[in-house]
Amino acid sequence: MPTGRMFSNSFSFKFADSMRILSCLVKLVMNSILTAKRSSGWLVLWLFGLCVLSTAERLPRAEPKTVGMSSAHLELIDSLVAEGIKDGKMPGCVVAAGHKGKLVFLKAYGNRSLFPIPVPMKIDTVFDMASITKPVVTATSIMVLLEQGKIRLRDRVSKLIPEFGVNGKQDITVEQLLTHQGGLIPDNALKDYLDGKEEAMKRIYSLPTYVEPGSKFVYTDVGFILLADIVERLSGEHIHDFSQRYIFRPLGMEETGYNPINGLQIRAAVTEKRNGSWIEGEVHDPRAYALDGIAGHAGLFSTAEDMAVYAQMMLQRGSYNGKQILNPQTARLMTTDYPVSSGIRGLGWDKRTGFSSNRGEVLTDLAFGHGGFTGTVLWIDPGLDLFYLFLSNRVHPDGKGSVNHLAGRIGTVIASSIRSGHETLQPEVRDAEDSPIQELGFDCLTGLDVLQRGGFELLRGKRVGLITNHTALDREVDWIVPILHEAIKVDLSALFSPEHGLRGRLDIPEIADEQESQTGLKIYSLYGENRKPSADQLKDLDCLVFDIQDIGTRFYTYISTMGLAMQAANEEGMEFIVLDRPNPIGGDVVAGPMIDDDKLSFVGFHSLPVRHGMTVGELSQMFAAELGLSKLKLRVVEVENWDRKQTLDQTGLLWTNPSPNMRNLNQALLYPGIGLLETTNVSVGRGTDTPFEIIGAPWIDAIKLSKSLNRMKLPGVTFVPRRFVPESSKFANESCEGVNVLITDRNVFEPIKTGLAIATTLRTEYSDSWEVDRYLRLLGNQQVFEAVKKGDSLDEIMLKSRASLNAFRVRREPFLLY
């Protein structure tokens, strides 16, 4: 592949270096003018550094195939970025990747500004790195001080900053600040910064703790502002001067630092407006801006090529181009695993937490990285000898862009482009046969993942009531309750739990209100005396958020809880936000009888067939429209990368038992048919290890029933005679005979037909024993029930059960999201 295709908008090194030397002469001439306008001493120092290091060697470039990577595979990035720009996720970006010490991908896309005029993105665009400042500047500076013997991780912050040791903060350590476990508030009020840095720091010193120090991970900017203060106190230098002296100048990172000036400023990507003017080359973060643009949590500016040098230094255990920034053991200490309450962090780095949605799916456990609010992402993986950068200004022009998921997908492409050792590569022409993007196995993202990727923007500044249970996990298997509780600018105020309780462990008729142990929040049970939130419970809330994994069957009560909560929110004119999840048994099949209007109940909330083939987000839209919830402000945060034909095992999402007796996907697939029987005098396996996979009763002959069912030659299923003794529930401690229902081919298996076949057989062969009248409870359709009771053939019953399904398909079509 020609170099120009992979490294677009770039010059050769010789020409670029010549231009840098020439620019230095200009900078020297302008130096006196600039210093007259800006009195800061570090400005002069930085200008001098720019000149001295103008010919510093950048990370050498190489064609991907020379280091064992597929060029054709990397070209998939083009379509991903194009899609992101088209969808308004960002105006443009620069993507870079390095492997085996070489820069193998560097490309600019789209625009660095849309307003006041469109300006194309270039590979030398200067980006506001936002929170990437935390690991690259502040944490690295702390590591340098550690090596200098000036600080220890276990040092109390109050020892280093005596004014800080008040209001329960006296025992907080440096390590706790680096891992966001210091118990500090995510962000203190912006007004605390309006009287200058000195007053701002005094107000930070006097803050009370937000949570018990050391008890949980709470991502906080305040902690890193304090770490920068520690650097200044121990070194006598501002964090800018210190990081230039010990990190960036030794590495030749001439385009990296705070408050970019001159040529760097005019190359900066534009972010949002401040005081009526577009922000270009000034820090976007309002607190860092109030601190004169220099802070421990934000304020760093850099380019892709400069950040590539830093990343390579970390891959080389602290050294680059003969310069030792950190000793190998220090670099290893900084990036090792530090377990926190919601995952794993490094010292200043993310590894696996709720903030890791921008992490590539196939990175190794050694990977560490970080993202920035403005749309910047850096991940470094020693296990693959790889790094990647996604640099954007996603907040331009209106703050609504969202790139974390896109960056993660691009990271997956980059990591998966690594092939075998380059000496065994096939000719480049073979790369054209690489698998298309849809075959890469990009995993599904739930609504919760998408919400996190967007920085919880939908919930910012709102008092949130959360209707959830244990199934609301993100891709990193972190639970929504601590995620929202720790989210910056989200006020999680109350919890509401459905049947089986918040932890999904209770199988009792009623559940009482309680208190959540980790957060101390009140849990209002929606499966007790009340099934619907009361006006009193909602009066102090701005919105309700619903996130529960449904099972795709009408009589599973979680969708009833959602519908009733929507009605309550409508009565209060509230916002109702559904974090969608895939239908685990697929969304393309609609089956089973429709419920009659006079049979609606808590186990049959709305006019639906037994198997509706919809997600909870889609159902919420149907409920809102068909129940006339005109005052409800409904928002659905959609699932991504889910095809309606996919069942849960094809999404990459973790199976979590949605209720105590729903223990695997096979049981979920059987449930629409087998579950219909459980209100009758038949055990459906509750109290055994395999609920919904077996049915039986003391009055059934196992061999006789299995022979009768197998003679029907039902598609995709077979029946094995079985004897079992339930330990609880129906027929507890009684010997039952029945059948084990084995799915042999999921592609043709029909759960409703199977369930109705069992019902007709029980009615025909055990008419004196089987209490058929109870079958109507969950079936919900009088006509189909009468056909079963009368002993009609299975074909006749199936014909009746399909009545009105076509009309339902037409009804549901406007509400389908996928």
Side-chain angles (χ1 to χ4, degrees), residues 764-789:
T764 302
E765 299 184 3
Y766 299 95
S767 59
D768 292 338
S769 301
W770 187 46
E771 298 172 353
V772 66
D773 288 345
R774 298 183 184 179
Y775 192 57
L776 180 59
R777 171 74 170 136
L778 296 182
L779 188 69
N781 185 292
Q782 191 70 39
Q783 184 183 30
V784 176
F785 170 71
E786 293 296 341
V788 171
K789 189 172 182 178

Side-chain angles (χ1 to χ4, degrees), residues 521-802:
L521 292 171
K522 181 68 175 289
I523 306 171
Y524 296 107
S525 172
L526 300 181
Y527 195 73
E529 183 177 343
N530 298 311
R531 301 281 170 100
K532 179 178 178 180
S534 68
D536 188 59
Q537 292 167 351
L538 300 180
K539 67 180 181 180
D540 294 325
L541 302 177
D542 298 311
C543 68
L544 284 176
V545 174
F546 182 92
D547 189 2
I548 299 176
Q549 178 63 66
D550 183 42
I551 211 65
T553 302
R554 182 185 68 213
F555 44 83
Y556 212 60
T557 63
Y558 295 158
I559 60 174
S560 305
T561 295
M562 180 178 72
L564 290 170
M566 289 175 66
Q567 290 178 335
N570 179 68
E571 292 164 8
E572 303 300 319
M574 289 179 63
E575 187 175 17
F576 195 94
I577 298 171
V578 178
L579 305 184
D580 210 1
R581 291 182 176 269
N583 186 319
I585 61 174
D588 63 332
V589 176
V590 173
M594 294 290 298
I595 192 169
D596 295 335
D597 290 342
D598 62 350
K599 305 292 191 304
L600 296 175
S601 68
F602 189 64
V603 290
F605 176 77
H606 195 60
S607 178
L608 299 171
V610 171
R611 186 173 178 181
H612 48 71
M614 300 175 75
T615 68
V616 290
E618 293 170 336
L619 285 170
S620 71
Q621 295 192 136
M622 175 180 275
F623 293 172
E626 296 185 347
L627 296 175
L629 306 182
S630 59
K631 295 192 295 181
L632 186 73
K633 302 167 186 174
L634 177 65
R635 295 286 299 271
V636 178
V637 182
E638 298 178 16
V639 169
E640 294 187 2
N641 302 327
W642 179 65
D643 187 283
R644 302 198 74 83
K645 295 180 181 179
Q646 288 181 325
T647 49
L648 191 75
D649 57 317
Q650 297 167 314
T651 66
L653 296 173
L654 179 76
W655 171 270
T656 301
N657 296 350
S659 58
N661 285 286
M662 190 65 64
R663 302 174 186 174
N664 57 52
L665 183 57
N666 272 347
Q667 292 171 8
L669 290 164
L670 288 162
Y671 185 67
I674 303 301
L676 289 169
L677 296 162
E678 69 173 312
T679 52
T680 74
N681 59 331
V682 170
S683 169
V684 293
R686 290 182 183 269
T688 75
D689 292 334
T690 53
F692 305 112
E693 295 183 58
I694 56 176
I695 67 109
W699 39 267
I700 288 177
D701 182 321
I703 294 176
K704 178 182 176 183
L705 180 61
S706 65
K707 286 181 177 179
S708 298
L709 292 171
N710 283 323
R711 275 196 295 267
M712 293 183 174
K713 299 187 183 302
L714 298 169
V717 67
T718 191
F719 303 89
V720 179
R722 176 79 182 269
R723 180 179 292 151
F724 61 94
V725 179
E727 295 180 358
S728 60
S729 192
K730 199 170 295 178
F731 304 127
N733 302 314
E734 293 187 55
S735 179
C736 297
E737 289 195 16
V739 293
N740 201 152
V741 187
L742 299 179
I743 300 174
T744 58
D745 186 349
R746 278 171 39 186
N747 292 324
V748 297
F749 173 62
E750 299 180 44
I752 306 296
K753 186 173 185 178
T754 300
L756 288 170
I758 295 171
T760 60
T761 304
L762 292 176
R763 180 60 178 164
T764 302
E765 299 184 3
Y766 299 95
S767 59
D768 292 338
S769 301
W770 187 46
E771 298 172 353
V772 66
D773 288 345
R774 298 183 184 179
Y775 192 57
L776 180 59
R777 171 74 170 136
L778 296 182
L779 188 69
N781 185 292
Q782 191 70 39
Q783 184 183 30
V784 176
F785 170 71
E786 293 296 341
V788 171
K789 189 172 182 178
K790 192 167 60 173
D792 287 354
S793 70
L794 180 60
D795 288 342
E796 292 173 315
I797 294 170
M798 286 301 296
L799 187 63
K800 290 181 172 64
S801 76
R802 293 177 181 132

Side-chain angles (χ1 to χ4, degrees), residues 383-641:
L384 295 176
D385 195 7
L386 174 79
F387 70 83
Y388 70 86
L389 283 152
F390 178 93
L391 304 180
S392 78
N393 52 336
R394 66 100 190 162
V395 293
H396 182 68
D398 55 10
K400 295 181 179 179
S402 179
V403 298
N404 275 335
H405 171 52
L406 173 61
R409 293 175 69 188
I410 289 171
T412 300
V413 170
I414 291 168
S416 61
S417 72
I418 298 174
R419 304 309 194 212
S420 58
H422 65 270
E423 68 279 358
T424 62
L425 279 181
Q426 298 297 319
E428 182 69 18
V429 67
R430 294 290 301 276
D431 283 344
E433 300 175 6
D434 284 348
S435 300
I437 194 166
Q438 59 266 28
E439 296 180 9
L440 289 177
F442 289 134
D443 290 332
C444 173
L445 289 184
T446 67
L448 175 56
D449 294 311
V450 175
L451 181 74
Q452 289 187 86
R453 183 188 69 197
F456 306 96
E457 190 65 33
L458 276 180
L459 306 182
R460 182 164 296 202
K462 296 174 183 176
R463 297 165 298 175
V464 176
L466 175 63
I467 307 168
T468 195
N469 66 4
H470 63 295
T471 63
L473 304 175
D474 66 6
R475 283 212 59 82
E476 304 299 326
V477 200
D478 292 324
W479 189 33
I480 190 172
V481 172
I483 288 174
L484 291 191
H485 189 249
E486 296 165 8
I488 298 172
K489 298 179 182 177
V490 176
D491 182 4
L492 182 59
S493 301
L495 302 173
F496 298 84
S497 65
E499 183 178 1
H500 307 298
L502 192 69
R503 303 285 179 174
R505 299 169 183 163
L506 304 175
D507 204 8
I508 54 179
E510 286 194 357
I511 298 171
D513 295 347
E514 55 180 331
Q515 188 176 45
E516 204 279 315
S517 58
Q518 288 182 309
T519 63
L521 292 171
K522 181 68 175 289
I523 306 171
Y524 296 107
S525 172
L526 300 181
Y527 195 73
E529 183 177 343
N530 298 311
R531 301 281 170 100
K532 179 178 178 180
S534 68
D536 188 59
Q537 292 167 351
L538 300 180
K539 67 180 181 180
D540 294 325
L541 302 177
D542 298 311
C543 68
L544 284 176
V545 174
F546 182 92
D547 189 2
I548 299 176
Q549 178 63 66
D550 183 42
I551 211 65
T553 302
R554 182 185 68 213
F555 44 83
Y556 212 60
T557 63
Y558 295 158
I559 60 174
S560 305
T561 295
M562 180 178 72
L564 290 170
M566 289 175 66
Q567 290 178 335
N570 179 68
E571 292 164 8
E572 303 300 319
M574 289 179 63
E575 187 175 17
F576 195 94
I577 298 171
V578 178
L579 305 184
D580 210 1
R581 291 182 176 269
N583 186 319
I585 61 174
D588 63 332
V589 176
V590 173
M594 294 290 298
I595 192 169
D596 295 335
D597 290 342
D598 62 350
K599 305 292 191 304
L600 296 175
S601 68
F602 189 64
V603 290
F605 176 77
H606 195 60
S607 178
L608 299 171
V610 171
R611 186 173 178 181
H612 48 71
M614 300 175 75
T615 68
V616 290
E618 293 170 336
L619 285 170
S620 71
Q621 295 192 136
M622 175 180 275
F623 293 172
E626 296 185 347
L627 296 175
L629 306 182
S630 59
K631 295 192 295 181
L632 186 73
K633 302 167 186 174
L634 177 65
R635 295 286 299 271
V636 178
V637 182
E638 298 178 16
V639 169
E640 294 187 2
N641 302 327

Side-chain angles (χ1 to χ4, degrees), residues 63 96 100 133 165 206 240 251 257 266 305 322 332 343 364 405 530 534 565 730 794 805 814:
E63 288 293 320
K100 294 185 178 179
T133 305
S206 65
H240 171 82
L251 290 174
I266 63 174
E305 284 196 88
R332 190 179 301 113
T364 73
H405 171 52
N530 298 311
S534 68
K730 199 170 295 178
L794 180 60
L805 284 185

